[in-house]
Amino acid sequence: MFKGYRKIKEFSSFFAAEERGFFFCLLLSSSIFFSSCGSDRQTFLLEGTFKGFNQGELYIYGMNGTYRLDTINVLKGTFRYEIALDEPATLVLVFPNFSELPVFAEPRVDVEIEGDASHLKETRISGTDLNEAMTSFRLKTSQMTPPEATRTAETFIKENPASPISLYLLNKYFTQIPKPDYKKSIALLNDIYKAQPEESSLKGLAEKIRGVESLKEGATLPSFTAKDINGKTVKSSDLNAPVNVIFTWAKWNYESVNMQRQLTFFQHRYEGKMKIIGICVDADQKGCRKTAEKDSVKWSTINDGKMWDSPLLQKLGLSYVPDNIMTDSKGKIIAHTLRVNELQDKARTLLDDKSP
């Protein structure tokens, strides 16, 4: 087993190999179709029943971009979803409040979900050993404190580095959190890489962890180019005001919507001295646009519909809602992951004495 610097060095070599072209990602086919009787096509069937969720929609997508975002309709508390599938994949089922459940899919396999929408941690998913093992983990940690659940996830990963469950737990407990632990993430990902070096989804996790490492106070904001919801090109070089803020938000998250409204006030107060870019992680681009218009947002809002698998989020190291980065006119990171009141205090400290 590699330790300390040797682990980081080994994984750095993995990065280098990737950049030289020896590591590549095999994308899961994203074509969706229903199979007919006697067909040679391989399919995966997901059926579920949820108490307290009579009618609505769920989102489903492949972890780390391996499967295109899709919608599942729920009627009278039940749903049925069938897709073409050629090889095993980790799918993520997302609820209207953006709680999520992982589903481990395999060709020619049926998986059943049974749960209560008000107690999602107690949901039972059956049909394969992996889904039943994930259910056991979920039930075991449902009453734990966040630190206890994180330690349990770490133990699982170390004991089962070859399991697809470990990839999901690494993302959930060590990457997609307010302040990710870069060294811990590297160490765990290195363990997983040694156990399953040909796993294609490692690339997506590696890119997320790269972004986490770049998000340091005093570091330079990674350069980027993107399109906002109105088709306008947005560049990192546009953030050239004395204070600049990039933040994540979603219409389902009150704290992030409140942050957006507070930033609207800040931009008006510090006109010409603060520039802002919003990144909406909603899967519903129309809903994102409607909320931005309702809040009279004047800055660019970016939404590529890829949720947490957005390349921009991965590059910037943003993996939570609400999250944010504050920079100076030269792109130097002043602060990140501030709460609304902290962001307000920081802006006042930096700009009030300079305001006309």
Side-chain angles (χ1 to χ4, degrees):
M1 176 179 293
F2 290 88
K3 298 183 178 179
Y5 175 74
R6 292 183 65 192
K7 276 191 175 183
I8 297 175
K9 185 176 181 181
E10 178 187 351
F11 199 74
S12 296
S13 297
F14 160 57
F15 279 150
E18 175 201 343
E19 291 167 358
R20 290 195 302 269
F22 296 113
F23 181 86
F24 60 91
C25 179
L26 299 176
L27 294 177
L28 176 70
S29 172
S30 61
S31 301
I32 301 175
F33 57 87
F34 292 94
S35 63
S36 58
C37 295
S39 171
D40 291 332
R41 295 169 176 172
Q42 301 186 80
T43 64
F44 167 72
L45 176 63
L46 178 64
E47 295 181 291
T49 301
F50 282 102
K51 294 180 180 179
F53 188 10
N54 185 52
Q55 185 172 341
E57 292 183 340
L58 302 174
Y59 293 119
I60 189 167
Y61 67 98
M63 183 174 153
N64 296 310
T66 56
Y67 188 80
R68 184 180 300 171
L69 180 73
D70 202 3
T71 302
I72 298 177
N73 293 314
V74 179
L75 183 62
K76 296 182 179 180
T78 65
F79 68 86
R80 185 179 189 276
Y81 185 71
E82 189 173 10
I83 58 172
L85 193 68
D86 296 322
E87 59 185 5
T90 300
L91 307 180
V92 181
L93 194 63
V94 186
F95 290 78
N97 65 354
F98 267 59
S99 296
E100 64 176 40
L101 290 173
V103 178
F104 299 95
E106 299 175 25
R108 299 179 182 175
V109 167
D110 296 352
V111 167
E112 295 183 3
I113 299 179
E114 184 176 359
D116 187 322
S118 62
H119 301 284
L120 288 177
K121 289 183 178 180
E122 298 174 10
T123 300
R124 295 181 179 274
I125 304 179
S126 60
T128 68
D129 291 342
L130 281 176
N131 285 299
E132 289 168 9
M134 186 66 224
T135 295
S136 296
F137 178 90
R138 189 186 307 107
L139 295 175
K140 180 180 180 180
T141 58
S142 63
Q143 301 301 319
M144 289 183 179
T145 64
E148 289 172 337
T150 298
R151 287 193 293 271
T152 303
E154 181 179 357
T155 298
F156 184 98
I157 294 170
K158 289 180 176 179
E159 293 178 350
N160 305 276
S163 172
I165 295 175
S166 292
L167 287 169
Y168 174 79
L169 296 180
L170 175 59
N171 187 58
K172 178 176 175 61
Y173 287 95
F174 299 94
T175 304
Q176 197 170 311
I177 58 176
K179 294 186 178 181
D181 185 331
Y182 172 74
K183 291 184 178 180
K184 180 65 67 66
S185 297
I186 283 288
L188 293 174
L189 185 55
N190 193 47
D191 288 343
I192 294 173
Y193 175 64
K194 287 188 292 184
Q196 40 183 320
E198 297 182 0
E199 172 54 50
S200 61
S201 61
L202 284 171
K203 180 179 180 181
L205 278 174
E207 290 175 348
K208 286 184 180 180
I209 295 174
R210 269 187 187 158
V212 168
E213 174 63 0
S214 69
L215 192 58
K216 291 181 178 179
E217 293 181 23
T220 300
L221 182 74
S223 61
F224 66 85
T225 301
K227 293 284 187 180
D228 70 10
I229 56 177
N230 296 314
K232 177 184 176 182
T233 299
V234 182
K235 299 180 180 180
S236 52
S237 57
D238 297 334
L239 298 172
N240 53 14
V243 171
N244 308 276
V245 177
I246 303 174
F247 76 106
T248 60
W249 67 277
K251 63 179 184 294
W252 45 268
N253 182 278
Y254 173 78
E255 187 179 356
S256 70
V257 173
N258 182 47
M259 180 174 288
Q260 176 159 264
R261 291 168 182 165
Q262 290 297 319
L263 285 170
T264 301
F265 169 76
F266 293 164
Q267 189 182 51
H268 177 73
R269 176 173 179 174
Y270 301 113
E271 186 174 359
K273 296 183 178 296
M274 176 182 281
K275 289 188 176 182
I276 301 168
I277 293 176
I279 304 176
C280 178
V281 300
D282 286 345
D284 179 10
Q285 293 174 306
K286 291 183 179 179
C288 166
R289 183 190 301 274
K290 184 177 180 179
T291 301
E293 291 174 350
K294 180 181 178 181
D295 290 345
S296 301
V297 171
K298 303 300 182 184
W299 56 76
S300 287
T301 297
I302 299 169
N303 182 324
D304 59 14
K306 297 181 180 179
M307 300 163 65
W308 293 118
D309 288 324
S310 166
L312 180 57
L313 288 179
Q314 293 177 358
K315 188 170 189 177
L316 296 177
L318 296 170
S319 57
Y320 197 72
V321 172
D323 205 352
N324 50 72
I325 306 172
M326 182 179 284
T327 69
D328 64 14
S329 60
K330 296 181 180 179
K332 180 181 178 181
I333 297 175
I334 301 171
H336 65 87
T337 316
L338 301 175
R339 298 183 70 86
V340 172
N341 62 316
E342 295 172 334
L343 195 154
Q344 183 180 42
D345 291 342
K346 192 73 172 180
R348 285 173 174 167
T349 299
L350 295 169
L351 295 175
D352 272 353
D353 293 339
K354 302 175 184 179
S355 299

